[in-house]
Amino acid sequence: MKAIRYWRYGAPDVLELVTLDEPFAGPDEVRVRLKAAGVSPIDAKLRSGALQAHFSLAFPKIPGRDGAGVIDQIGEGVTGFSIGDEVCVAADPAGSGTYAEAIVCASSRVVKKPANLSISQAAALLQPGVSAWISMYRTATLSAGMSVLIHGGAGAVGSQMIQLARHLGLNVTTTCRAQNIDYVLGLGAHRAVAYDREDFGLLRHIDVVFDLIGGETHARSYQVLKAGGQLVYLTAMPFENQAEKYGVTVTRAMISDAPEALHAVSRLAAEGVLTPGVMATLPLAAAADAHRRFEAGQVTRGRIVLNMGDGG
Ligand SMILES: NC(=O)c1ccc[n+]([C@@H]2O[C@H](COP(=O)([O-])OP(=O)(O)OC[C@H]3O[C@@H](n4cnc5c(N)ncnc54)[C@H](OP(=O)(O)O)[C@@H]3O)[C@@H](O)[C@H]2O)c1
């Protein structure tokens, strides 16, 4: 099979297209013939070595957290799946990834593909969807009518957060670059603040801020919250906890591929609540280009998706 892999941390150039033997499904595992792989920020951060303190990688490493394809082999003890099922895959960040024509993974990391999504959308669903779902359903305390500020609403996670927030009956303000205002309003945001033209720090009385940006954005988010408000973050380096000063709570959303979250996200997509963004599709062989575009800040309105269809 064709796959992308790397032998050491480094720039996108370490990604190489290779031909490997097919993997075989062991007990409790399935093999998925992948048709598409989503390119996530974590794929680039792992490759660069920026996450060495959090994940220990075995080299050579096949990158890729998200994928979609068809089950073509089922290991002993697997229930609930059949050969031929179309599925979405949430690959272990430290294990073998989805930038390949096939992956073997635990069946608990696979969910049925929502029939209403294209294969590219399906490959862009789970990693951002689970990040949004855990932040909103398992980290924040939300009820209909609350006001939320979602930073980075034009990104893959932020765009799914906007859709979930509308589903929950929240009043949604989001930040994005000026050229994406129509996009985030189209996703359901009530109000958009262009971070390259306006100052979100002038907002007030927000119940919950979701921070996907960190740094200065994180530091300035406390002042927009009402007393007793909540700041939930996924990324906040450098992190300075100002909760006591502002009388708010601050909580990091602990993202994992819990089966509960994977199934909830796929169900919400099947119901039409969540539609993942796909910015562009590229052939598998263009993985390094996709990482370069991410590192240049050129990825917006969802994921770049790598397609296996042309054989690499
Ligand atoms: N801790 C975890 O487990 C976890 C899980 C998921 C994601 N994350 C992190 O969360 C971040 C977002 O992930 P993602 O997948 O959504 O990334 P993404 O698709 O690359 O989106 C990032 C978005 O950030 C926006 N942005 C950049 N600067 C901004 C600013 N100053 N204010 C508001 N928005 C700004 C951009 O918006 P425009 O396009 O409008 O410029 C871009 O669309 C990444 O850093 C990722 O690593 C962490």
Side-chain angles (χ1 to χ4, degrees):
M1 67 171 186
K2 293 269 187 351
I4 298 290
R5 70 177 183 183
Y6 57 102
W7 284 89
R8 59 184 170 82
Y9 298 117
D13 303 351
V14 300
L15 299 176
E16 56 179 17
L17 181 69
V18 292
T19 302
L20 303 173
D21 291 339
E22 295 272 332
F24 289 94
D28 300 320
E29 292 178 333
V30 294
R31 186 173 70 190
V32 179
R33 187 130 316 266
L34 292 163
K35 295 181 179 173
V39 176
S40 301
I42 190 174
D43 303 344
K45 292 178 185 181
L46 282 169
R47 188 220 71 236
S48 72
L51 299 180
Q52 287 180 65
H54 306 281
F55 297 94
S56 96
L57 300 186
F59 293 114
K61 160 80 177 152
I62 297 177
R65 286 274 283 136
D66 263 327
V70 178
I71 291 183
D72 75 346
Q73 200 177 72
I74 294 188
E76 201 183 318
V78 172
T79 56
F81 291 106
S82 306
I83 288 177
D85 282 349
E86 284 199 304
V87 292
C88 302
V89 177
D92 181 348
S96 202
T98 55
Y99 295 11
E101 289 178 329
I103 185 173
V104 161
C105 65
S107 59
S108 58
R109 293 189 159 277
V110 171
V111 292
K112 299 258 173 74
K113 172 188 158 301
N116 51 330
L117 297 189
S118 69
I119 206 79
S120 296
Q121 289 172 321
L125 175 68
L126 289 181
Q127 190 269 348
V130 162
S131 303
W133 188 87
I134 289 177
S135 301
M136 303 190 90
Y137 284 75
R138 290 289 177 267
T139 312
T141 303
L142 298 169
S143 55
M146 278 181 156
S147 58
V148 296
L149 170 62
I150 296 166
H151 286 303
V157 178
S159 60
Q160 293 206 41
M161 278 188 171
I162 292 172
Q163 296 172 68
L164 289 180
R166 283 305 303 263
H167 181 63
L168 290 167
L170 307 173
N171 192 293
V172 185
T173 302
T174 191
T175 55
C176 61
R177 73 180 80 166
Q179 72 187 56
N180 282 333
I181 283 183
D182 286 348
Y183 174 71
V184 297
L185 295 178
L187 291 170
H190 296 95
R191 178 177 179 184
V193 179
Y195 67 79
D196 48 357
R197 295 219 182 130
E198 302 170 69
D199 179 7
F200 80 85
L202 299 175
L203 297 169
R204 290 292 179 271
H205 309 300
I206 302 286
D207 289 299
V208 187
V209 174
F210 292 96
D211 182 19
L212 309 173
I213 307 300
E216 178 75 4
T217 299
H218 184 85
R220 301 188 68 247
S221 287
Y222 291 87
Q223 70 201 44
V224 311
L225 285 165
K226 61 170 64 161
Q230 307 163 52
L231 176 44
V232 172
Y233 69 95
L234 284 92
T235 302
M237 295 304 285
F239 176 65
E240 186 202 347
N241 189 332
Q242 302 181 62
E244 202 171 322
K245 177 177 168 192
Y246 286 94
V248 300
T249 60
V250 58
T251 315
R252 179 173 180 189
M254 300 308 293
I255 308 305
S256 75
D257 295 330
E260 171 200 39
L262 298 177
H263 286 281
V265 167
S266 105
R267 195 170 51 247
L268 285 159
E271 290 167 357
V273 173
L274 283 178
T275 305
V278 176
M279 173 191 154
T281 54
L282 297 174
L284 177 64
D289 283 343
H291 280 215
R292 277 185 212 104
R293 285 166 79 167
F294 168 72
E295 290 176 356
Q298 293 168 356
V299 176
T300 184
R301 302 188 179 201
R303 292 281 184 253
I304 293 179
V305 171
L306 303 173
N307 275 328
M308 320 307 166
D310 65 352

